[in-house]
């Protein structure tokens, strides 16, 4: 692939600093070669120029908690994700086929869709997760064995559960899943194989057990208490609240599951108070949604920006949210050297917007504001202005 340069846009690079108002982003193949202010004396011959005059540029968004496996039915979801500015999805339930899909996308055999960070599930008997690929693992040594097996097939991370959830009628969020001893074994084994680990944990004692075990990311926390938030901060772990799950809109998406709606509505204010406290204390916050959500209520691709809108209501600024959904998400998954910011040496995953997102993050929730999306240096989506840059019809 030849060189490209994106010129004259206002660059919001994902690091949280002051935007560059008249920027130049040089791209060589898949990667960003240089970033800075526009230099009129530079040599722009033999370079494909993408004019971003009047536009705003952010890193590709990273969806932090998706459920995408390797079946072909998931590919359209990843295609629609790009249309919303999502260039990477961290899927917590990839399984072996999802790992194969991740590698197919990475090897450029499949274009036009978001990339994957592939996680695999280790779960106890009668736990919240019922469809783990290898079945349940009970006790520390069974847990360690499954972690090793997923390491052998090159999973990026391990996902588990420390509490119940909303889904089944015969469970609730207060039920404990894995014990502290089992969580400690999972975290220790994952880290020994250089994998991150994340945990579904809505309530106590699951949250404190996960923190004590050193699980890297605590996901959900619908019934999180102040002690849980403070413990996450004390251990310098990551918190991904997935507020979309307990949003009023999502509770209304399941009319055939009244038990689920009731518990979600009960959690709604508690969840948001926990997130407000986490922000106040400076907890490392990530952005994820249990993506893609119910087809009855949610358009494929919209969940991530909706989550950011929910977080904005809890006091996060648009700049903080952009950093959370790009840089912090990349760091949480150990991918900060590859993705997450617009800097030299990173993958050229870039979104060009028609409107500034720094006044209200809801700009990202309107597809008409997304002008152009590049993944690995290739224009994968473009509005009319940028159509000529598309290598194919998307």
């Amino acid at each position: 692939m030849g060189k490209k340069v994106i010129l004259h846009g206002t660059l919001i690079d994902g690091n949280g600093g002051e935007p560059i108002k008249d920027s130049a982003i040089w791209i060589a193949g898949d990667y960003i070669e240089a970033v800075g202010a526009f230099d009129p004396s530079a040599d722009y011959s033999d370079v494909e120029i993408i004019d971003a005059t009047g536009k705003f540029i952010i890193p590709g968004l990273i969806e932090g908690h998706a459920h995408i496996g390797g079946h072909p039915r998931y590919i359209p979801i990843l295609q629609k994700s790009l249309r919303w500015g999502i260039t990477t999805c961290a899927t917590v339930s990839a399984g072996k086929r999802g790992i194969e899909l991740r590698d197919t996308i990475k090897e450029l055999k499949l274009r036009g869709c978001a990339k994957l960070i592939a996680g695999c599930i280790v779960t106890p008997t009668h736990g919240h997760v019922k469809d783990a690929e290898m079945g349940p693992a009970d006790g520390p040594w069974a847990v360690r064995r499954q972690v090793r097996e997923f390491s052998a097939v090159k999973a990026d991370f391990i996902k588990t559960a420390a509490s119940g959830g909303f889904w089944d009628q015969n469970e609730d969020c207060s039920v404990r899943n894995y014990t502290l001893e089992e969580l400690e074994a999972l975290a220790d084994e994952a880290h020994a194989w250089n994998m991150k680990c994340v945990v579904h944990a809505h309530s106590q004692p699951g949250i404190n057990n996960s923190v004590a075990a050193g699980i890297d990311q605590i996901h959900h926390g619908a019934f999180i208490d102040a002690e849980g938030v403070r413990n996450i901060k004390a251990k310098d772990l990551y918190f991904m609240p997935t507020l979309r799950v307990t949003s009023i809109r999502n509770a209304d998406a399941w009319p055939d599951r009244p038990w689920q709606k009731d518990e979600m509505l009960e959690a709604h204010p508690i969840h948001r108070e926990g997130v407000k406290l986490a922000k106040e204390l400076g907890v490392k916050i990530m952005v994820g949604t249990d993506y893609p959500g119910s087809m009855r209520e949610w358009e494929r691709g919209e969940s991530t920006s909706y989550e950011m809108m929910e977080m904005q209501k809890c006091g996060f600024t648009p700049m903080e949210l952009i950093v959370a959904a790009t840089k912090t998400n990349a760091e949480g998954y150990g991918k900060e050297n590859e993705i997450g910011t617009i800097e030299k040496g990173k993958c050229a995953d870039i979104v060009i917007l028609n409107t500034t997102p720094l006044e209200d993050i809801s700009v990202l929730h309107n597809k008409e504001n997304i002008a152009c999306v590049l993944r690995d240096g290739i224009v994968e989506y473009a509005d009319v202005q940028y159509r000529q840059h598309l290598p194919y019809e998307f």
Side-chain angles (χ1 to χ4, degrees):
M1 290 183 285
K3 285 192 176 184
K4 296 181 179 72
V5 61
I6 305 173
L7 295 178
H8 305 306
T10 298
L11 173 61
I12 304 162
D13 67 8
N15 285 305
E18 193 69 24
I20 300 175
K21 292 186 177 180
D22 187 10
S23 65
I25 305 167
W26 294 83
I27 299 168
D30 298 358
Y31 297 96
I32 298 168
E33 187 176 56
V35 179
F38 170 67
D39 179 1
S41 66
D43 182 6
Y44 297 101
S45 61
D46 299 321
V47 179
E48 179 184 341
I49 294 175
I50 298 177
D51 185 359
T53 301
K55 310 293 186 184
F56 299 83
I57 304 167
I58 64 171
L61 301 177
I62 302 169
E63 164 54 50
H65 185 121
H67 287 276
I68 294 171
H71 192 279
R73 71 176 179 270
Y74 291 107
I75 294 173
I77 297 174
L78 294 174
Q79 291 172 329
K80 292 174 182 177
S81 300
L82 276 181
R83 181 64 181 86
W84 287 89
I86 301 165
T87 54
T88 302
C89 288
T91 172
V92 301
S93 52
K96 293 177 182 177
R97 292 184 66 185
I99 291 169
E100 292 172 1
L101 178 59
R102 175 201 67 191
D103 294 344
T104 297
I105 296 169
K106 187 175 182 179
E107 292 164 7
L108 306 183
K109 295 175 183 176
L110 185 60
R111 296 230 58 93
C113 62
K115 298 182 285 192
L116 288 177
I117 301 171
C120 295
I121 295 170
V122 177
T123 186
T125 296
H126 196 48
H128 170 68
V129 181
K130 301 297 192 294
D131 58 352
E133 184 174 29
M134 292 187 182
D138 297 311
W141 289 108
V143 167
R144 288 182 185 274
R145 176 175 179 172
Q146 282 201 4
V147 171
R148 291 167 185 169
E149 290 174 331
F150 284 129
S151 174
V153 295
K154 302 189 184 310
D156 289 307
F157 66 96
I158 300 297
K159 187 255 181 132
T160 192
S163 79
F166 296 107
W167 186 255
D168 279 352
Q169 190 169 8
N170 64 347
E171 71 165 341
D172 61 59
C173 291
S174 66
V175 173
R176 191 204 69 199
N177 276 208
Y178 268 141
T179 64
L180 173 59
E181 183 183 20
E182 290 166 317
L183 291 169
E184 287 175 332
L186 185 143
D188 178 67
E189 200 63 40
H191 294 156
W193 292 99
N194 298 315
M195 290 187 293
K196 300 293 185 181
C197 48
V198 312
V199 64
H200 162 112
H202 278 303
S203 61
Q204 300 292 15
I207 292 171
N208 279 355
N209 284 345
S210 300
V211 172
I215 302 291
D216 299 294
Q217 301 173 25
I218 314 301
H219 288 205
H220 306 313
F223 290 95
I224 196 167
D225 57 11
E227 180 184 6
V229 175
R230 294 182 189 281
N231 286 342
I232 292 172
K233 174 61 179 176
K235 278 288 193 80
D236 197 32
L237 304 175
Y238 291 86
F239 178 33
M240 187 185 297
T242 66
L243 286 172
R244 185 195 67 85
V245 173
T246 59
S247 67
I248 303 301
R249 179 178 169 186
N250 195 55
D252 289 338
W254 306 98
D256 56 336
R257 310 177 74 81
W259 66 87
Q260 181 168 285
K261 178 175 180 176
D262 290 345
E263 197 171 15
M264 285 177 175
L265 292 178
E266 179 187 355
H268 178 87
I270 300 168
H271 204 178
R272 281 145 186 80
E273 287 304 311
V275 172
K276 289 175 184 177
L277 178 59
K279 182 186 187 307
E280 178 185 329
L281 296 179
V283 172
K284 295 184 293 191
I285 301 286
M286 300 173 71
V287 175
T289 69
D290 246 340
Y291 187 85
S294 165
M295 290 182 66
R296 180 186 288 120
E297 177 62 32
W298 299 94
E299 179 180 339
R300 295 313 191 215
E302 70 166 317
S303 295
T304 307
S305 54
Y306 189 90
E307 176 74 14
M308 296 167 82
M309 291 164 59
E310 288 286 296
M311 293 172 71
Q312 185 173 250
K313 294 176 186 176
C314 291
F316 290 84
T317 68
M319 180 65 87
E320 289 171 335
L321 292 170
I322 291 168
V323 172
T326 58
K327 181 179 182 179
T328 308
N329 272 7
E331 291 173 344
Y333 282 109
K335 303 294 183 182
E336 65 272 19
N337 294 326
E338 304 170 32
I339 58 176
T341 56
I342 299 176
E343 296 180 275
K344 180 180 178 180
K346 301 285 185 75
C347 293
D349 297 341
I350 295 169
V351 179
I352 302 175
L353 302 169
N354 290 319
T355 308
T356 177
L358 294 180
E359 296 175 5
D360 190 329
I361 205 65
S362 65
V363 161
L364 298 180
H365 201 63
N366 182 350
K367 286 189 289 187
E368 299 306 311
N369 289 323
I370 299 174
C372 183
V373 180
L374 291 86
R375 197 209 88 192
D376 295 326
I378 291 180
V379 178
E380 297 279 23
Y381 167 77
D383 63 12
V384 174
Q385 179 178 349
Y386 295 114
R387 273 304 155 170
Q388 68 270 25
H389 299 291
L390 276 174
Y392 52 83
E393 192 67 29
F394 177 66

